[in-house]
Amino acid sequence: MLIFAARRLLATIPTLLVVTLLVFSLVRLLPGDPARLQLGEEATPQALTELRHQMGLDRPVAAQYASWLGDLGRLDLGKSLQDHTSVAGLIAQKLPTTFELALLSLLVAVALALPAGIVSALMPGSVTDRLVTLLALSGISLPSFFLGILLVYAFSVNLAWIPASGYVGLSENAGLNLKLMILPAVTLGVGSAAVLTRFLRSSLLEVLSQDYVRTARAKGVAGRLVIVKHALRNALIPVITVLGLQLGGLLGGAVVTEQIFSIPGFGRLLVDAVFTRDLPVIQGMVLTSAALVFLVSFLIDLAYGAIDPRVRYG
Amino acid sequence: MTAVPLVAPARRERSKAFRRFTANRLGVFGLIVVVLLSLVALLAPAVAPFDPAKQDFSALLQPAGAAHWLGTDELGRDTLTRVMYGARISLSAGLVSVALALLAGTLLGLIAGFVGGWLDELIGRFIDALLAFPFLILAITLAAILGPSLQNTMLAIAIVTTPAFARVTRAQVLAQRELEYVQAAGALGAGRWRTLLRHILPNISGALIVQTSLAIAEAVLAESTLSFLGLGVQPPTPSWGSMLNTARGYLQTAPWLALAPGVIIFVTVLAFNLLGDGLRDALDPRSRTK
């Protein structure tokens, strides 16, 4: 297992390097001078030259990249242009809120997808199946910001059950935190639920046609037990991969959801950084989001062995 | 002598695929909606009841009525007209960005899959790296770096959509490369590029058509998301995403304002997804869900 993990990790290094190269180049694409961006239009040529030297902008690009990589190795993502705080610190401060939102969204997604996918696969071609299939495609097509607005209108404006926006930390007041997180979690979770339903349906349909399911049925195992003990356990394996792959989509979706519900998380930080053109923050966040996607896909690979006994680490 | 038996099955296969597609009611529905939306976008200046920028301060935030079928916005502009003109933005963003991605992605995938070796390795790493970035986060970052405008939105969406096309093309080319007809083409003296463009490309076009339809759905959604966040087309140009963002501020007083742009984004994306699913079932019956 350890050898597999090390080998898998080594295999991702070249791709990770390309990721860092892309993020580094992104900022170089920006029209204008980062030093002028930091000092403003009024800066004197002397101040600009000094800052450029301090930032290393007068060095060759390859040297700049190497020193930036060195900083990354020490988890130093630079400083925000706005308040000169550490970018890594800012991200670390905002990520837990977004993780909570993503986790709650996944719970919503699983709670909706599990029954829908199972019912649909058990009755292929039926009216229920067609309805679930159409609903799932609608869920994928529904813009999360429109769903969010509809939910705010129904539950905050019309029924006045839940405040339209706002955020209270989980440690401050867990009850209020969860209450405020319901609408954002549903807004973000519906899209993932739709994707999961489609995967679970096709995965379950495939497993149900396998010989061992037929054998179990022939041996007289009760219908429900065949589904739960034999079919579902195997059908869920590819679905778990899809669940993990949803993380990238959830991080992107969080940008919009956090904007609608005024949640001070990772997504909100990105939008704020974009509007203030806070390059080190944007750069750090893009890199962090890619690193998180890598980490999750690595963990899924490791978890596969635990879930699926057919997978052996060689 | 050889042309007849080679062409005939291909034609037969195409007509079979056409019949399979027309038998799929949801796919046909998607196609009809896409055609209608395209007509609305093309003919907006001729069929829209008002000028999209014309403000009428005597008719602010009007609900749907005889004069304004979908009501008016906070500046008294006709919502139906702005939704019609918004179709021009959303559909052109979807089509242009996906056309660019199709071109770039297919070229990268063809080269990687057919040439192989270090070039495949290099392109593969590049695609993997681009795919590691969450779609929307990369699109937002690129749009922010390039600056808010329709052209830059298209470019940003094209860049984030390219890896998907490259990956699909590469996988298809790798599968086709080993088939007999490719080896036969080589044996008959066809050069590498001729084999690639005249023989392999037509055989993988089905997968690319399906991917194109699904990618347009995603691109339309991405364009409206960028406009919603204020990073896409700038006011006063009507775009569905920015209309929805404005409507957010009037949920208490004029909730209907959000309905028209929200529903039209949903219907457009759904239509392209239905069309893509229908095309997949028709062009690749093996992937069909029973």
Side-chain angles (χ1 to χ4, degrees), chain B residues 76-210:
Chain B
R77 296 173 298 193
D78 182 61
T79 304
L80 176 62
T81 302
R82 292 182 69 75
V83 166
M84 285 176 152
Y85 274 86
R88 294 166 83 90
I89 301 291
S90 286
L91 291 186
S92 60
L95 291 176
V96 173
S97 59
V98 171
L100 289 174
L102 174 70
L103 207 68
T106 307
L107 194 67
L108 283 174
L110 282 175
I111 295 172
F114 200 66
V115 177
W118 66 270
L119 204 56
D120 180 27
E121 187 70 21
L122 188 75
I123 294 174
R125 294 290 175 197
F126 181 68
I127 294 169
D128 283 350
L130 271 177
L131 283 170
F133 297 103
F135 183 89
L136 207 52
I137 290 190
L138 189 57
I140 289 171
T141 307
L142 286 169
I145 285 176
L146 297 165
S149 75
L150 180 60
Q151 283 86 343
N152 289 343
T153 301
M154 289 171 177
L155 191 60
I157 298 173
I159 294 172
V160 291
T161 312
T162 297
F165 279 101
R167 185 167 266 194
V168 168
T169 310
R170 181 181 174 276
Q172 292 282 329
V173 172
L174 284 179
Q176 297 284 328
R177 207 170 61 170
E178 305 307 321
L179 296 182
E180 276 176 9
Y181 78 92
V182 175
Q183 285 157 15
L188 286 170
R192 264 180 157 194
W193 284 102
R194 191 181 160 81
T195 308
L196 198 57
L197 299 176
R198 292 291 299 272
H199 298 279
I200 294 183
L201 191 59
N203 276 297
I204 66 168
S205 58
L208 291 174
I209 291 170
V210 174

Side-chain angles (χ1 to χ4, degrees), chain A residues 98 101 144 188 248-263 265-272 274 285, chain B residues 134 136-138 140 225-226 228-229 231:
Chain A
T98 303
L101 176 61
S144 62
L188 193 54
L250 288 175
L251 275 179
V255 177
V256 179
T257 312
E258 289 178 2
Q259 195 68 11
I260 296 173
F261 295 98
S262 308
I263 299 170
F266 187 82
R268 192 81 200 258
L269 180 66
L270 180 65
V271 175
D272 290 346
V274 160
M285 295 189 76
Chain B
L136 207 52
I137 290 190
L138 189 57
I140 289 171
T225 306
L226 291 176
F228 179 79
L229 292 171
L231 294 167

Side-chain angles (χ1 to χ4, degrees), chain A residues 90-133:
Chain A
L90 263 176
I91 293 174
Q93 191 191 331
K94 303 288 182 186
L95 263 182
T97 308
T98 303
F99 276 149
E100 188 201 349
L101 176 61
L103 203 67
L104 290 172
S105 309
L106 279 181
L107 279 179
V108 171
V110 172
L112 290 173
L114 214 54
I118 294 173
V119 167
S120 188
L122 290 182
M123 297 187 269
S126 67
V127 177
T128 316
D129 177 35
R130 279 161 199 246
L131 194 71
V132 169
T133 307

Side-chain angles (χ1 to χ4, degrees), chain B residues 40 51 93 101 190 204 272:
Chain B
V40 167
D51 179 326
I204 66 168
F272 276 107

Side-chain angles (χ1 to χ4, degrees), chain A:
Chain A
M1 170 101 171
L2 268 177
I3 295 171
F4 170 80
R7 211 183 281 162
R8 173 72 175 73
L9 211 56
L10 275 176
T12 59
I13 287 177
T15 316
L16 265 175
L17 276 174
V18 180
V19 166
T20 59
L21 203 61
L22 284 174
V23 175
F24 180 77
S25 321
L26 267 182
V27 178
R28 296 302 179 282
L29 277 176
L30 188 92
D33 175 1
R36 185 172 288 281
L37 209 68
Q38 192 163 338
L39 293 177
E41 289 302 315
E42 309 294 315
T44 61
Q46 196 189 352
L48 279 173
T49 315
E50 245 170 62
L51 186 63
R52 271 192 209 118
H53 181 69
Q54 265 177 37
M55 291 169 86
L57 294 172
D58 51 356
R59 291 157 62 204
V61 178
Q64 287 182 44
Y65 175 63
S67 97
W68 182 70
L69 267 188
D71 289 344
L72 278 188
R74 293 188 298 276
L75 292 180
D76 177 4
L77 296 174
K79 287 195 167 32
S80 158
L81 296 183
Q82 289 301 303
D83 49 14
H84 305 289
T85 50
S86 137
V87 172
L90 263 176
I91 293 174
Q93 191 191 331
K94 303 288 182 186
L95 263 182
T97 308
T98 303
F99 276 149
E100 188 201 349
L101 176 61
L103 203 67
L104 290 172
S105 309
L106 279 181
L107 279 179
V108 171
V110 172
L112 290 173
L114 214 54
I118 294 173
V119 167
S120 188
L122 290 182
M123 297 187 269
S126 67
V127 177
T128 316
D129 177 35
R130 279 161 199 246
L131 194 71
V132 169
T133 307
L134 189 63
L135 275 176
L137 201 61
S138 304
I140 292 171
S141 310
L142 189 66
S144 62
F145 44 92
F146 182 44
L147 177 64
I149 288 174
L150 288 179
L151 290 174
V152 166
Y153 177 68
F155 295 99
S156 307
V157 177
N158 230 352
L159 298 168
W161 285 355
I162 305 172
S165 63
Y167 178 78
V168 173
L170 191 62
S171 53
E172 285 169 58
N173 184 339
L176 187 57
N177 169 282
L178 286 176
K179 194 176 171 184
L180 285 166
M181 281 295 209
I182 294 174
L183 294 185
V186 174
T187 301
L188 193 54
V190 163
S192 299
V195 176
L196 282 181
T197 303
R198 278 161 70 101
F199 268 92
L200 181 59
R201 178 186 177 275
S202 62
S203 172
L204 204 51
L205 270 178
E206 203 177 313
V207 169
L208 283 171
S209 67
Q210 301 277 317
D211 286 344
Y212 68 86
V213 172
R214 208 173 306 140
T215 310
R217 279 189 174 139
K219 278 166 67 185
V221 179
R224 194 174 297 171
L225 210 62
V226 174
I227 306 296
V228 176
K229 246 190 114 177
H230 297 263
L232 201 57
R233 263 178 78 170
N234 288 300
L236 279 178
I237 295 168
V239 176
I240 285 167
T241 314
V242 178
L243 200 70
L245 292 177
Q246 288 295 302
L247 181 87
L250 288 175
L251 275 179
V255 177
V256 179
T257 312
E258 289 178 2
Q259 195 68 11
I260 296 173
F261 295 98
S262 308
I263 299 170
F266 187 82
R268 192 81 200 258
L269 180 66
L270 180 65
V271 175
D272 290 346
V274 160
F275 281 110
T276 52
R277 291 179 85 77
D278 197 338
L279 276 182
V281 175
I282 299 176
Q283 186 172 269
M285 295 189 76
V286 177
L287 194 66
T288 307
S289 63
L292 284 172
V293 170
F294 265 108
L295 182 69
V296 170
S297 99
F298 173 66
L299 291 177
I300 289 173
D301 274 5
L302 290 191
Y304 239 71
I307 312 162
D308 189 348
R310 286 169 300 187
V311 176
R312 287 281 167 267
Y313 302 114

